[in-house]
């Protein structure tokens, strides 16, 4: 089967399309024919070993010294169940699914296997495979952090989302909307129209205004790009208000339950996939170059099936 292989740490050009062995599902696993995936910040971070200082050593220990031991990158997928292990009860052949492989990676390939108990669920019925692949990464991360922040519907929560145009940011806006929160979003001038399209009225453009001098105060500040700090935002917090960031040591988990939330919101028309660009698997180098810019709006999708 075709897969994008990361031959060593380095620039996008270290990626190559090769034929590798098709996996076989174990008893409690399903085999998914991958239709679409996404190139996310996690993929380019692993490929380029983009971490600061001593974390580089930790990353090499965890991921591999000269290059990732798991050579096929890709953490999210959508596709069709092609085969099930003999103990699988919750999926059947032909089911259209979406999910994430987390640290197992492997999603930039024609097929992958995943435990039926893992973060995999039926894809939203009204979503294309591209849309389903696009919502899994940012969506689950946003749900993790906003649940951690104990966002509640009845509280009319005032939330500031810093970096509202990335994969996590566009998802956080929509998850916060599902809690009827009062949202203020921080983005660049070039991201304003997107955030506006997502339904946010209160927008601060960080290239035109110092957001830390904003007069309002917030119950939750969520930094969805990891580019500000609690110290910088301190004066924007209500008493009892809390700051959360994707930029710390806290790693979002991925769960079937989060995927089910995303499916319900999408099917009810309360969630959209924000897709910036779509590339074919054989354009994976180009896709990584684009994500490397750090400027993508929403998600970059990789079409896997031909
Ligand atoms: N802790 C976790 O579990 C976890 C999980 C997922 C992701 N992450 C981390 O979260 C970060 C974001 O991930 P992502 O996939 O959402 O990234 P992404 O989609 O690549 O983010 C790109 C977006 O960020 C905006 N941006 C760039 N610089 C900015 C700044 N200084 N202020 C505000 N916005 C800025 C860009 O728009 P403009 O350039 O127009 O501003 C662009 O739309 C990454 O560092 C990733 O590693 C952590």
């Amino acid at each position: 089967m075709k897969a994008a292989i990361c031959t060593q740490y380095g620039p996008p050009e270290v990626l190559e399309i090769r034929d590798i062995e098709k996996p076989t599902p174990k008893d409690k696993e399903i085999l998914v024919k991958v239709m679409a995936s996404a190139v996310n910040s996690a993929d380019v971070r692993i490929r380029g070993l983009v971490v600061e200082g001593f974390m580089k050593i930790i990353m090499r220990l965890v991921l591999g010294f000269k290059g990732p031991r798991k050579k096929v990158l890709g953490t999210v997928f959508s596709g069709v169940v092609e085969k099930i292990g003999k103990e699988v009860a919750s999926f059947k052949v032909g089911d259209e699914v979406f999910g994430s492989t987390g640290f197992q990676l492997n999603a930039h390939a024609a097929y992958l296997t995943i435990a039926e108990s893992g973060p995999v669920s039926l894809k939203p019925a009204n979503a294309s495979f591209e849309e389903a692949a696009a919502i899994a990464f940012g969506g689950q991360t946003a749900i993790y952090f906003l649940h951690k922040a104990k966002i509640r519907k009845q509280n009319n929560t005032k939330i500031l989302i810093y970096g509202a145009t990335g994969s996590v940011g566009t998802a956080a806006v929509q998850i916060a909307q599902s809690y009827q929160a009062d949202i203020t979003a921080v983005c660049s001038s070039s991201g304003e129209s997107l955030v506006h399209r997502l339904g946010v009225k209160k927008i601060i453009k960080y290239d035109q205004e110092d957001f830390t001098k904003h007069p309002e105060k917030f119950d939750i500040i969520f930094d969805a790009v990891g580019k500000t700090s609690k110290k910088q935002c301190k004066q924007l917090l209500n008493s009892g208000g809390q700051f959360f960031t994707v930029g710390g040591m806290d790693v979002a988990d991925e769960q079937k339950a989060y995927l089910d939330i995303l499916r319900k919101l999408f099917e009810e028309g309360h969630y959209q996939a924000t897709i910036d660009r779509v590339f074919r698997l054989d354009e994976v180098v180009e896709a990584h170059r684009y994500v490397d810019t750090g400027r993508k709006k929403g998600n970059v999708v990789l079409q896997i099936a031909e």
Side-chain angles (χ1 to χ4, degrees), residues 63-190:
L63 297 171
F65 268 86
K66 287 194 173 155
R69 276 185 285 271
K70 292 184 186 300
K71 302 227 170 290
V72 179
L73 306 182
T75 62
V76 291
F77 64 91
S78 64
V80 182
V81 176
E82 186 168 289
K83 202 172 178 185
I84 57 171
K86 53 179 187 259
E87 288 176 32
V88 169
S90 49
F91 293 100
K92 59 182 188 316
V93 170
D95 279 347
E96 296 187 349
V97 294
F98 76 134
S100 48
T101 52
F103 288 114
Q104 294 304 314
L105 306 173
N106 273 335
H108 293 168
Y111 292 88
L112 60 81
T113 54
I114 184 165
E116 72 163 329
S117 59
V120 53
S121 195
L122 293 178
K123 84 167 177 58
N126 56 340
S128 66
F129 286 108
E130 282 81 8
E131 287 172 325
I135 65 177
F137 178 77
Q140 290 188 89
T141 306
I143 293 171
Y144 171 83
F145 280 101
L146 294 186
H147 281 189
K148 198 165 180 199
K150 297 195 168 45
I151 191 164
R152 297 277 180 272
K153 261 188 188 158
Q154 55 276 27
N155 292 355
N156 192 27
T157 308
K158 289 189 70 162
I159 182 168
L160 179 115
I161 297 171
Y162 182 86
T165 54
S167 178
V168 180
T170 51
V173 162
Q174 299 184 82
I175 297 302
Q177 278 166 339
S178 75
Y179 283 91
Q180 286 139 30
D182 178 353
I183 304 168
T184 300
V186 183
C187 63
S188 68
S189 302
S190 71

Side-chain angles (χ1 to χ4, degrees), residues 9 46 49 55-65 67-70 103 105:
Y9 297 124
I46 295 172
L49 202 69
M55 280 305 289
K56 268 206 164 60
I57 298 168
I58 309 274
M59 283 273 277
R60 281 186 199 272
L61 279 170
V62 175
L63 297 171
F65 268 86
R69 276 185 285 271
K70 292 184 186 300
F103 288 114
L105 306 173

